[in-house]
């Protein structure tokens, strides 16, 4: 599993208390990433239209 570091938040307008991650960096060239929460695996996908989909 690869750990990602937050991107430079100064170029975005998030809430200061929340980490910011670049979805393309998370998903890599294929536009897919697996995210684990409480032993459940979710798939994050970037669609051809540039939308994000999170599925279980």
């Amino acid at each position: 599993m690869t750990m990602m570091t937050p991107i430079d938040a100064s170029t975005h307008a998030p809430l200061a208390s929340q980490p910011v991650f670049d979805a393309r960096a998370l998903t890599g060239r294929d536009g897919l990433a697996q995210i684990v929460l409480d032993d459940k695996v979710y798939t994050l996908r970037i669609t051809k239209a540039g939308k994000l989909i999170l599925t279980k």
Side-chain angles (χ1 to χ4, degrees):
M1 178 183 295
T2 302
M3 300 301 291
M4 299 296 297
T5 57
I7 63 171
D8 180 7
S10 66
T11 59
H12 301 282
L15 297 176
S17 63
Q18 295 178 346
V20 176
F21 298 93
D22 183 281
R24 295 197 190 281
L26 283 173
T27 59
R29 290 179 51 185
D30 63 354
L32 293 169
Q34 290 185 331
I35 300 171
V36 178
L37 176 65
D38 298 332
D39 297 324
K40 295 181 179 114
V41 179
Y42 297 82
T43 300
L44 178 67
R45 178 171 62 94
I46 299 176
T47 68
K48 290 179 182 177
K51 308 287 183 178
L52 288 175
I53 297 178
L54 183 65
T55 55
K56 190 171 179 184

